[in-house]
Amino acid sequence: AVTAAALAAAPAAAPCAAAPPPPPASAAAPSASAGAAAASEMASELALAEAAAAMPTPEEVPAGCLLHMLLSLLLQQPPTSLYLLGLASCVHKWVQASAPAEQRLVASHPGFVRFVLERLLDPEPTEPQLQVFFDLLAELIKFNPPLMTTVQDALLDSSLAGGAASDLFISRLLDHPVDASILVQCIALTLAPEASPLRGMRALALLGLAPPEPVAAAAAGMTPKLSALRRHGPLADAARGSLAQVVTRRRVELARALVAAASDGDLSVETMCVINAAILFFLLADLDGRGERGGERRCGRVSLLDAVCEASGVGASAGEVHGGERREGEARSLGGEEASEDVPALSEEARSLLEGFGRLLRFWGEVYHSHSCERRFLEFSSGVPFPRWLALVAALREDIRHRLSGGGGGDPTSRAAAAAPADSTAPRNQCVGGEECECALGPKFGRMGICVE
């Protein structure tokens, strides 16, 4: 009603930007197959996005346009306003697909960044308020290191929350991991743009922060090297801020909290953002490469999984459980070999956490198998190609089964033979169950060659 009244009283709205040109006729032409049609549609969407990104963006939101009205009305709302969350959600959706220049356009609106931070620091925020404003802030800084630095600097303002804004904000983030899950994802992806070839690297190029070589490498499916950008410049500045530090240094705590929170609630499509935030930490750990731990080579993903288990507590070594008798199911690893005597047995809490994570990953497969729109949104939102997500989830499920069976972390490549399908003639990753397949997703999913079992 407020928006309608403002629009009725306003002069003819000035457009914030010209409409993008129509897609080429060739992109809209019907294709010979459904796969070609999907590829053509995606190419058309990318062409439109690139054309829109190439258009000049004004330095400030033009007075009288719809976006200016939304921002102005939002900043006028007290914390108790019935319109606060609706208006904030409108702005959130606007920045969700914005180019870096458009994010800067919104952030530069007088008082906007401070208003968002104040709502997140309110003494007694209403239940959906934290999630709405965490989500808005997340999309505002996503893939935009300079804007992330601007927000982190704003938290150091002595006039905000009595000078304790940064500490209070971090406390809110850690105490409300579900509400902050999208913000955590966006901070992590912004600090690791090489993990996001579809959006992160392109945003760096639009900001003029990445030379052509790493952008081309990401587009070709390779992981670019950004060591120079991490030593100095906007990406390095963003990584030194308080929010970046908490997401980087406390990733074990955050990953564990997200897994536990998602496991405790009712599973639904609406909770996928929480599950994806947890999975993303393992994707980034994989990207970090291999490391040494306790004299044994570990891949980053497995090291993080073991660290999450340790944070949940570990019991005695496998050989000491029940007075020297190993628990059934822990006596042998997937390869049929006895569990090592010095591999810590899982505590009940750690075992419960892993079992819950396994259920989450199974549910993840069911959702993204049956919801093509969710697959496309996940890929668009993260900039991570969906096959990369799919491979990671399959690897994590294998890691969890191995750990629950009593095996340690180690090098996952060393257990490849043990994890192979019983039918050695089957193509890799293909379900061999046929019509009798007992996979949760059914034989149809298996015939696609992506069996999650």
Side-chain angles (χ1 to χ4, degrees):
V2 173
T3 305
L7 289 173
C16 290
S26 59
S31 50
S33 67
S40 176
E41 182 181 358
M42 179 64 73
S44 177
E45 290 178 0
L46 290 175
L48 285 171
E50 290 173 358
M55 293 178 182
T57 301
E59 291 299 320
E60 59 183 33
V61 182
C65 76
L66 180 58
L67 178 60
H68 186 277
M69 294 178 188
L70 288 173
L71 291 172
S72 300
L73 284 169
L74 174 61
L75 269 58
Q76 294 171 21
Q77 304 309 306
T80 56
S81 170
L82 295 176
Y83 306 106
L84 176 69
L85 302 184
L87 289 167
S89 296
C90 289
V91 179
H92 163 240
K93 285 302 177 185
W94 195 90
V95 296
Q96 193 169 40
S98 294
E102 295 167 326
Q103 293 170 310
R104 185 174 63 248
L105 177 69
V106 174
S108 65
H109 190 77
F112 178 73
V113 170
R114 183 182 180 91
F115 180 85
V116 172
L117 295 179
E118 286 175 343
R119 297 293 72 77
L120 288 168
L121 298 172
D122 278 340
E124 296 181 2
T126 57
E127 177 58 31
Q129 180 173 318
L130 287 179
Q131 179 184 331
V132 169
F133 281 94
F134 270 135
D135 290 355
L136 171 53
L137 184 63
E139 297 296 343
L140 186 69
I141 66 174
K142 189 176 188 177
F143 302 125
N144 197 323
L147 257 185
M148 182 186 291
T149 300
T150 297
V151 169
Q152 293 179 126
D153 289 345
L155 286 170
L156 301 177
D157 189 337
S158 59
S159 67
L160 190 62
S166 184
D167 291 342
L168 179 56
F169 190 97
I170 290 171
S171 176
R172 284 277 165 88
L173 186 150
L174 295 174
D175 291 343
H176 301 272
V178 172
D179 291 333
S181 60
I182 291 181
L183 178 62
V184 168
Q185 286 186 67
C186 291
I187 292 174
L189 283 169
T190 303
L191 296 174
E194 66 272 32
S196 175
L198 302 180
R199 288 193 66 188
M201 292 304 300
R202 290 183 180 183
L204 285 189
L206 290 172
L207 288 163
L209 303 180
E213 292 78 9
V215 178
M222 298 180 288
T223 301
K225 302 298 183 183
L226 301 178
S227 53
L229 297 179
R230 288 200 159 83
R231 287 194 295 268
H232 54 79
L235 187 58
D237 294 340
R240 285 190 285 267
S242 58
L243 300 185
Q245 288 293 304
V246 74
V247 170
T248 301
R249 295 185 177 182
R250 303 179 75 166
R251 65 177 182 175
V252 173
E253 177 184 349
L254 285 168
R256 182 187 178 282
L258 289 165
V259 170
S263 300
D264 289 343
D266 295 330
L267 296 180
S268 68
V269 175
E270 286 70 31
T271 62
M272 294 307 297
C273 59
V274 183
I275 303 173
N276 287 331
I279 296 173
L280 180 66
F281 278 110
F282 293 91
L283 185 150
L284 297 179
D286 246 1
L287 192 67
D288 288 343
R290 308 181 66 86
E292 298 286 341
R293 187 180 181 195
E296 183 181 9
R297 290 183 66 81
R298 307 278 182 107
C299 79
R301 181 190 72 247
V302 173
S303 291
L304 179 57
L305 189 65
D306 284 351
V308 169
C309 288
E310 290 174 10
S312 300
V314 292
S317 67
E320 297 171 347
V321 175
H322 300 305
E325 293 296 328
R326 294 186 180 88
R327 185 178 305 172
E328 183 180 357
E330 289 185 350
R332 295 183 177 276
S333 67
L334 289 177
E337 299 176 358
E338 292 189 357
S340 171
E341 295 286 338
D342 57 359
V343 173
L346 294 171
S347 67
E348 290 300 325
E349 183 180 356
R351 173 172 288 276
S352 176
L353 187 77
L354 282 183
E355 290 172 345
F357 195 17
R359 288 192 294 271
L360 291 177
L361 295 177
R362 184 175 185 139
F363 176 71
W364 186 98
E366 293 172 353
V367 168
Y368 286 109
H369 165 60
S370 57
H371 295 74
S372 61
C373 59
E374 293 292 336
R375 289 197 297 272
R376 294 186 64 186
F377 184 76
L378 174 63
E379 194 169 63
F380 166 77
S381 178
S382 65
V384 179
F386 184 71
R388 179 74 183 89
W389 286 98
L390 198 65
L392 176 68
V393 168
L396 275 172
R397 295 192 68 188
E398 178 63 30
D399 295 337
I400 291 171
R401 279 195 293 266
H402 184 71
R403 194 68 178 88
L404 288 173
S405 69
D411 185 351
T413 60
S414 65
R415 57 179 190 260
D423 183 354
S424 60
T425 63
R428 184 176 178 179
N429 292 333
Q430 181 170 341
C431 174
V432 296
E435 295 301 328
E436 302 301 322
C437 175
E438 296 181 356
C439 297
L441 305 183
K444 179 180 179 181
F445 195 58
R447 288 198 296 269
M448 292 171 62
I450 325 172
C451 175
V452 297
E453 292 297 309

